[in-house]
Amino acid sequence: MSEHDDSTDSAETAVVTGANSGLGFEVTKGLAERGTHVVMACRSTERGEAAKREIEAEIPEASLEVHELDLADLDSVAAFAEWFASAYDELDVLCNNAGVMAIPRKETAQGFETQFGVNHLGHFALTARLLPVLEQTPGESRVVTQSSVAHRNGEIDFDDLQGERSYSAWGAYGQSKLANVLFGYELDRRLRSADASVESIVCHPGWAATNLQFRGPQQSGSQLRLWMMKLANAVIAQSAERGAEPMLYAATDPSVEGGDFIGPDGFRNMRGSPEVQESSERSYDVDLAQRLWEVSEELTGVSFDRPLLAAT
Ligand SMILES: NC(=O)c1ccc[n+]([C@@H]2O[C@H](COP(=O)([O-])OP(=O)(O)OC[C@H]3O[C@@H](n4cnc5c(N)ncnc54)[C@H](OP(=O)(O)O)[C@@H]3O)[C@@H](O)[C@H]2O)c1
């Protein structure tokens, strides 16, 4: 709970990454409606504050705080976690939501391919750094990681993780989204074997109309792809509000268990209401998950390496 806001004394506390836009915005709204105090972790505090004002206009009793977090810079991740631990004693829900999709090859501050760096490594480091406060929270706390149906086509290319030799925008997205599932499940296994009071759940939104689909075409300057994405969003996608439901369900529903994979129950799991589903066969590969975990620790320099979370 925040030291500087007495009104949140009995409320649960959540952190939502990418809270200013799309699904993160809707997840923040949904949590705020339930009376949860939400820390909106945004790379632009200006966009974060604008989103906060929009939510407050709709939900005057919302308890929100914006703080800067750039997942493309591990120093920013460390600074966010340090600030959070100094301002809050408890964290009930960490929503690892922010992401980028199918963008041209770029690198994060530490030289990682951006989709792998932001979608997976940034959240890996954030979770490791926030684990102590998640663990010290009374009752059960949850880590919910946002993946995608695109994880089904994903492969982890350990020989070229950063796409330096060969880069495909969709291949890198699939890799990062498979990494989200492998990470979420491996975290769950380690938490269980440590008998920890934290649960790790993975979810995906199906297809929801947000800004996500426009970033790749905008950054590559493809008007045709931009137009196609706008058309597809208008015709096929469900709303961002509905797309946020799996993450909200994973974050709040009492029936959800660590290791669950939650997604929409409708056509091709692209739309509908949240349900527990199976992820791809590859995502259950424990050896693959442990190898990714070790490589992620090495790359980020952040370790879960305490007796509590040693490999099972
Ligand atoms: N929409 C879908 O159909 C769909 C399908 C499958 C999976 N997903 C997943 O859902 C998640 C949310 O996407 P969305 O659809 O809500 O897209 P969105 O509207 O584009 O929102 C993405 C959010 O991530 C933030 N972000 C991007 N790079 C960041 C960084 N370096 N550090 C911190 N935050 C960063 C964005 O901040 P800015 O606003 O500052 O750019 C924005 O707040 C992603 O993980 C995505 O892979 C979405």
Side-chain angles (χ1 to χ4, degrees):
M1 266 147 242
S2 174
E3 281 172 0
H4 33 262
D5 186 353
D6 294 341
S7 66
T8 62
D9 270 1
S10 59
E12 293 205 329
T13 300
V15 168
V16 179
T17 67
N20 61 289
S21 174
L23 305 176
F25 178 82
E26 294 297 338
V27 167
T28 302
K29 246 169 77 175
L31 290 172
E33 262 162 11
R34 289 166 168 80
T36 302
H37 172 71
V38 186
V39 174
M40 303 171 69
C42 304
R43 67 172 153 170
S44 155
T45 51
E46 205 182 325
R47 287 195 287 276
E49 291 293 348
K52 176 174 179 274
R53 284 193 295 276
E54 204 179 321
I55 295 173
E56 285 166 345
E58 227 178 290
I59 312 168
E61 65 280 11
S63 174
L64 306 169
E65 178 169 15
V66 174
H67 200 85
E68 186 177 327
L69 169 69
D70 183 355
L71 291 157
D73 184 352
L74 294 177
D75 293 340
S76 171
V77 173
F80 177 88
E82 198 177 317
W83 163 78
F84 188 88
S86 71
Y88 291 83
D89 301 325
E90 296 172 14
L91 176 57
D92 299 276
V93 184
L94 168 61
C95 289
N96 287 329
N97 163 76
V100 281
M101 179 176 83
I103 54 170
R105 190 177 187 286
K106 288 192 297 182
E107 291 186 351
T108 66
Q110 283 73 30
F112 307 128
E113 183 281 313
T114 297
Q115 299 191 72
F116 190 66
V118 169
N119 300 358
H120 170 60
L121 291 175
H123 282 126
F124 180 90
L126 180 68
T127 308
R129 290 191 180 278
L130 291 178
L131 197 61
V133 68
L134 283 158
E135 283 181 303
Q136 78 189 24
T137 302
E140 243 167 38
S141 48
R142 294 183 182 185
V143 177
V144 184
T145 302
Q146 187 82 277
S147 182
S148 161
V149 286
H151 86 274
R152 296 189 182 284
N153 303 321
E155 283 176 38
I156 309 291
D157 183 358
F158 287 105
D159 295 330
D160 190 20
L161 261 186
Q162 313 302 339
E164 286 159 315
R165 270 180 287 167
S166 153
Y167 181 74
S168 136
W170 283 105
Y173 184 64
Q175 172 173 264
S176 73
K177 290 288 135 180
L178 174 60
N180 286 151
V181 190
L182 290 166
F183 164 62
Y185 290 169
E186 180 61 17
L187 179 61
D188 173 63
R189 283 187 288 270
R190 291 182 185 224
L191 290 165
R192 273 172 196 259
S193 77
D195 208 15
S197 60
V198 186
E199 294 189 324
S200 168
I201 299 129
V202 185
C203 65
H204 78 93
W207 187 344
T210 65
N211 287 323
L212 187 80
Q213 293 84 4
F214 307 142
R215 299 287 181 234
Q218 279 165 347
Q219 290 180 25
S220 61
S222 168
Q223 287 305 314
L224 178 65
R225 267 186 64 204
L226 187 60
W227 181 83
M228 281 166 59
M229 282 299 186
K230 283 186 175 164
L231 185 70
N233 266 7
V235 176
I236 304 168
Q238 59 179 354
S239 67
E241 191 178 356
R242 290 234 68 191
E245 285 179 13
M247 183 163 254
L248 272 172
Y249 183 85
T252 62
D253 196 276
S255 70
V256 170
E257 291 180 3
D260 278 351
F261 182 72
I262 314 283
D265 64 358
F267 180 66
R268 288 179 170 267
N269 301 133
M270 293 302 231
R271 52 172 59 244
S273 301
E275 64 165 11
V276 177
Q277 1 186 277
E278 296 276 294
S279 52
S280 70
E281 209 182 315
R282 191 176 286 145
S283 70
Y284 295 106
D285 183 333
V286 175
D287 291 340
L288 181 63
Q290 289 189 354
R291 187 172 174 199
L292 176 68
W293 185 281
E294 280 157 24
V295 169
S296 303
E297 282 190 330
E298 225 168 83
L299 290 172
T300 59
V302 177
S303 185
F304 286 77
D305 178 35
R306 294 173 298 133
L308 188 60
L309 287 185
T312 51

